[in-house]
Structures are given as C-alpha cells and as structure tokens.
Amino acid sequence: MDQDDNDPVVLLTYIAVALARVSPLDAAVFDALASSGASIEAKVVPRLGAALAAMEEPVVLVLDDVHTIENPRCIDAIVTLAGHLPPGSRLVLSTRDRSALPLGLLRARALSLELGPNELRMVEDEARDLMNAASANLSDDDMGELLRRTEGWPAGLYLAALSARSTRGGRGKMSPLTGNDPFVTDFLRSEFLARLPPAEVEFLTRTSILDRLSGPLCDAVLESTGSARLLETLERSNAFVVSLDRDQGWYRCHHLVRELLAAELARSEPDRVSPLLGRAFTWCAANKQAVAAIRYAQADRAADRVAAIMEHSIQPVFQSGRITTVERWFAWLDEHGDRTRYPAVAVIGGMFFAATGQPTESDRWGAAAEHGHHDGPLPDGSASIDSWRALLRAYRCRSGLAALQTDAALAVRTLGPKSPWRPPAMVCLGLSELLSGSLDAADDMFVDAREEAKHLGASNMVPVALAERALIAVEREEWAQADVFAEEAVWAAHHSRLEDSALNSLVWAVAARTELHAGRTTSAHKLVARARDHLPQLTYALPVPAAQARLELARTYLAMADRAGAGTMLREVDAVLRRCPDLGTLPAQAADVCSRLSRAGHSTPGASSLTAAELRVLPLLATHLTFKMIGERLYLSFHTVKSHSISIYRKLDVTSRSAAVDRARELGLL
C-alpha cells in the first residue's frame, strides 16, 4: 500500500483484482467500484465482502504497509472485509503503527493473532535459512555479528543477503558495520552504496524522488538516455530494484533504499530536488498520468501546477469513481494556495461538491469562483471564464428563476462547441423553461440536451434529460409517453459511468411514479428504494432536482397510501425551498401535494419515513463502528447518532442494531 490507496475505491479495486486472480468475482463488484457515487459502506464493501465469503478455495490476503493508510473509511472497509473471510482464509495486515486498527474489537471477538517485534525477530537458525535461501553463505562470526546488529530484524537480514549475493557472490567476510547511524542507513551506505559504480549510485539517488521508475520517465527527469538498460541491469543484479510488470517496463526501488537516497539527495544536492520534481511532473502530465503528476507537484509544493492539472483531470478521475482522490486534491490546494487564484478550478469545485452532496464546500468554492482572474481560453475550448461562472451559477441556482434563465442561456451561448459542460448548461436552460411553465420550450431543450450529451460523451446528462421529459409528459397527462421516457432514462442511467450519482435519484423517483401508475407495483417499490439510496447526497446544493425528486417520491408515497413517507419527503422539500425560495412552479407543486396529504388518511411511520440524515447513518450501522466512531465519520455528536439510530429502529419496527441492519437489507435499503 501507499498514499494513493487512501481512496477507498482505489484500495478496494486493488483488493478485488487480487482476489479475482484467485477466483473470478461477481461482476457486480466491479460495477459498483466503477460507478461514481456508489456508497462504499452500503454497496461496494457488502458486494466485495459477499464475493470474498463465497470463494470456494481458502485465500491469504496480505495488505502490506497499512501504516500508509490515513483515511478511516479505508480502515473501516478493511475491518469489515475481515468479517467476511470464508473458513480457512486469512487476512494479514503488516504495519509499523497499529493505532488505526480497532484491535480491541478484534481481540474481544477472538478474531486476531498479533505478531509484534519479539515474535518476528529471527533467531540464528531462521536467519541462516534466510541467508542460504538467498545464496548468501556467511561464516558463524559474520552471522553472529549480523544478528547482533539487526536484532533479528527480517528486513535487515534480507537486505544483507541481497548485498552479500550481489557484491561478493555470497561468500567472504562482511565489512564491519560502524558509525552512529541507525542500522539500515549504516548498512546500506557501507555494504551496498559503497560497492556500486558511482554512476549507478547517482542514478538511484536522483531518481529517489520517483514512486515508480521507467526508462522514458527517468530519461526525462535526468535529462539523459539509457535509463531503461540501466534499470534492467539493476533489477538483474538485485540492487534493490524490483520489476512491477511482466514486460519490465516499470520498476520500483526498495522503499528503505529509496528513503535513504531521498534524504541523501535533500542533504547533498538540495537545489536539484525541485527541478527533478518539475520534470517528473511535466513527463507525467504529458503522458496522461494525472494522479502521479499531481503527486510530484504536491511534493514540490507547486500549487499552480496542481491547479493546472486539476482543470483537465477532475472530471475523468471523478467519473472513474475516485471521489476521495479528488477531495484530497481540493483539500491540498485549499491548504497550499489561495482558492481565488484559480477560478477555473473553483468553478469545478463548486460543481463537484454540489454533485457529491457537500453543500458547504460547494458554497466555499462557488464563492471563490466569482473572484480572481483567468487569462486565455479554458481547457474545454471556451473563450472566457465567464462561461464557466455562468454555468456554475445556473447549476447551483441560488439567485432565483430569472437568474437561472439568464445564466444558463449565457453558458449555452458561449461555452466551447465541444465543451463537456454544454449538456449540463442545456439541462439548466431546460429547467428554467420548465419552472416558468413553458413546457414546449423546455421539452425542446431537453431533446437537444440529450443529443448533445450523447455526442459529447456526457452520459450522465442523458438520463436526467429523459427524466425531465417524462415529468413534462406526466404534466400533460400523457402517461404512456412518460412511461417510455422513464424506461429510457433508467436504461441510460444503468449504462452510464455515473449510475450511482445523486442526480439519478430523480431518474429512479420519476420511474417509480410511472411504474406505479402502470400497475407495476413490485418494480415501483424497488425504484423507490433505489431513489432513497442516494437522496441524502442530493441536497440544496442542487435545489431544483433535489426538490423535484422528493416531490415525485411524495406523490408516489401518496399513491401507495403511505402518508408518513410522503410527509417526510415534503418536509425535506420545504427545507430546500427555505434556502432557495424562488424556484418557479415548485413551491406551488409542493403546496398542492401538501394539500393532498392533509386530506389523506393516517399511516404508521415506517421505512419510507426515514429522513436523509437517518439514511446517512443507516449504512454505518452495518459496520464495526460504535456510535461515537460513526459520529466522527459523519461529523456528528454521539447523542445525535444515538437519536438517529433509535428513530431508525422505531421506523423499521425493530429493537436492536443488528435487527435494523437485517430489516434494511430486506427492504433494499442496504
């Protein structure tokens, strides 16, 4: 593991691929991992856990360097997977720091075997076996000295074995280990680096800034040639360079050696570090390795470079499901640069955080987007930042219907002809027509938005445009046509890269209503559950679809004679409208549904009346986390989590946490 694995999607993808090499996994696991917006706790981990539990052959899954994982959601996922191990299988966690692991829980359930330094320390017979296996035959005196200096540390012994084999053919007397440095530094310098040709030492030292090594990358960073041949030589000679692929195109340096050399480079040639990192950034950016490019720019504290790559790369990385990676980029830029210096990135931030249900962050980046200066065209071909700013204002719709129409029209008119932002802008313009009562103009715009989205590859806008067309057909009481549009929207959502996006809550809600009207009640109930899954992420940051989705669910609940569910939805609509009151016809629609609700009979609160806040807590009840730990994950107090949990139990008609999880799974909420 390394720092990049702090994104749960990245971490779980690697684990899934490793398991799939042992036995094929259910395709649903990879579908969930590839779907941006899929809940890690409610969808991804349960699917992967079920696949792990179903494996017929015992497996040993080893996760090394767990101490590099700082994201608690990643640790939660690992611990949850531990509970799905089939009989005979093992999960091995290797870490320098155990503090992040819930060892108390594992100990209490007798699920863990812990091996610390004392247990891992090799005695002489074990050390000699290791040396012999590595073809490094040492005298008794040398072995005794080595054991004394390493204190039986297996990694240190292994390094010694490699050095003995590569520098002396495995025989002869080892040089004494002296000096005041820790063992590994002293050993590597005296036994390894001192015996390499100076050119190889220089190569390894100056490439120690790189996480992975390849011939072309090293040539670019060092401004030289022949790196590929040198890497092959170092790998064959066991000089602590390991091949990462079968084609031997990519390598890595042993992490202990790399740490030593990086420290040596910073001490002896500090002026070289920044230029080396800059060339690494340039090569990775030119070769479409955005994540690596940003990592090198961050190491160089080059905020301008980070922002430049973010402008181009956020959308594809987000669509691949790596939401946490994008969040970390924004957090780093926020910490190391002035947000207002990067208005283009701020626009994307405002839209990204709105789409992922983080309204406060969307507000902060949206405010920053309105300031600052951006010279020249944008990455999508738009001539001015004004086009992007107009789109963001329309997308977030904070200034009322008239401003929505003005901003959306400006964005549609001025965005680059091949800009992937055009379909969202056209949907916003269609919404402005719909909320003003111009159904024909709105329908025409949604038709155009769908075609533009298909042409430009903005697949996430296709189901939204179709769902809006279904709403227009319902308004005209053309239910057969509405049914067709809703079915097309569901199909498009299933086949998009963002099936689990919050915006698709509107798709499922509209489809549930048309299914129920057609008498397909079983399908309608499933779609209602699907809509509710992601409703907590559809917040006032996107006020129009947030209100629309809840209104459709309220109408569907009323048709199901579920007054409690309808009431919950209406209260959430009111919360949206209080923040964004000038939304055209939506307040009148809410008032109409409220009037119908007041005339309906009473019903007992059930699963349908779970609030958005309760739905955020529900998936975490299925984990090992205590109420206090759940609160830390969601930034809530212990008492708030406890209150939500008790309410969940009452609405699901259960009396315990485990029963609530079981009932939620029966209802399709998990």
Side-chain angles (χ1 to χ4, degrees), residues 133-446:
S135 301
N137 302 313
L138 303 181
S139 67
D140 290 343
D141 289 343
D142 278 348
M143 180 59 70
E145 171 67 8
L146 193 58
L147 272 173
R148 186 184 71 80
R149 290 303 307 243
T150 62
E151 297 182 349
W153 176 38
L157 289 165
Y158 179 67
L159 292 174
L162 291 184
S163 177
R165 189 171 80 178
S166 63
T167 60
R168 295 181 289 100
R171 296 186 180 277
K173 185 172 179 60
M174 296 185 68
S175 301
L177 299 175
T178 59
N180 297 320
D181 294 323
F183 165 77
V184 63
T185 302
D186 187 19
F187 173 79
L188 288 172
R189 282 187 176 136
S190 63
E191 285 295 309
F192 170 60
L193 296 179
R195 299 177 183 273
L196 282 180
E200 293 183 5
V201 174
E202 180 180 289
F203 174 86
L204 289 172
T205 301
R206 292 182 181 176
T207 59
S208 64
I209 61 147
L210 302 173
D211 301 313
R212 299 193 309 157
L213 310 171
S214 75
L217 173 57
C218 292
D219 282 345
V221 169
L222 300 177
E223 297 181 313
S224 65
T225 59
S227 297
R229 290 191 300 275
L230 183 53
L231 286 168
E232 291 175 9
T233 300
L234 290 168
E235 195 269 339
R236 284 197 303 270
S237 66
N238 269 313
F240 305 131
V241 173
V242 181
S243 175
L244 295 178
D245 53 35
R246 295 176 181 176
D247 298 328
Q248 294 188 324
W250 286 95
Y251 304 80
R252 68 170 174 83
C253 187
H254 190 288
H255 69 275
L256 293 174
V257 177
R258 184 183 168 217
E259 289 172 6
L260 166 69
L261 295 176
E264 184 70 21
L265 178 65
R267 183 190 64 80
S268 62
E269 298 183 288
D271 293 340
R272 286 191 180 274
V273 176
S274 182
L276 290 169
L277 288 169
R279 290 193 287 271
F281 164 84
T282 301
W283 188 91
C284 290
N287 286 273
K288 299 182 180 180
Q289 297 185 21
V291 174
I294 285 181
R295 186 165 58 247
Y296 294 129
Q298 289 173 337
D300 200 20
R301 295 184 175 273
D304 289 354
R305 293 176 184 168
V306 172
I309 293 293
M310 287 175 67
E311 288 182 16
H312 295 81
S313 303
I314 289 174
Q315 194 168 16
V317 173
F318 166 62
Q319 290 179 346
S320 71
R322 291 175 287 177
I323 294 175
T324 302
T325 294
V326 176
E327 290 174 342
R328 288 165 57 202
W329 289 350
F330 277 111
W332 187 93
L333 191 63
D334 202 9
E335 181 180 351
H336 293 85
D338 178 4
R339 277 173 291 148
T340 60
R341 286 185 58 194
Y342 312 108
V345 174
V347 168
I348 301 172
M351 297 179 69
F352 167 79
F353 287 111
T356 55
Q358 302 176 69
T360 302
E361 283 298 302
S362 179
D363 289 345
R364 293 175 66 238
W365 286 96
E370 295 298 333
H371 301 88
H373 181 70
H374 188 285
D375 290 320
L378 280 297
D380 66 337
S382 300
S384 168
I385 188 67
D386 292 337
S387 303
W388 281 29
R389 285 172 172 154
L391 171 61
L392 176 61
R393 291 193 297 269
Y395 195 69
R396 288 163 29 90
C397 191
R398 294 301 178 80
S399 301
L401 181 57
L404 167 62
Q405 191 156 26
T406 299
D407 289 328
L410 174 61
V412 170
R413 187 171 64 252
T414 60
L415 283 167
K418 295 183 179 180
S419 171
W421 300 120
R422 282 184 57 79
M426 297 173 78
V427 167
C428 289
L429 187 55
L431 288 174
S432 72
E433 299 288 357
L434 177 62
L435 298 184
S436 65
S438 303
L439 299 187
D440 290 341
D443 197 41
D444 291 343
M445 185 53 62
F446 291 131

Side-chain angles (χ1 to χ4, degrees), residues 535-553:
L535 211 56
Q537 282 72 51
L538 190 57
T539 69
Y540 70 86
L542 297 174
V544 176
Q548 286 180 314
R550 289 167 170 82
L551 281 172
E552 290 307 294
L553 286 174

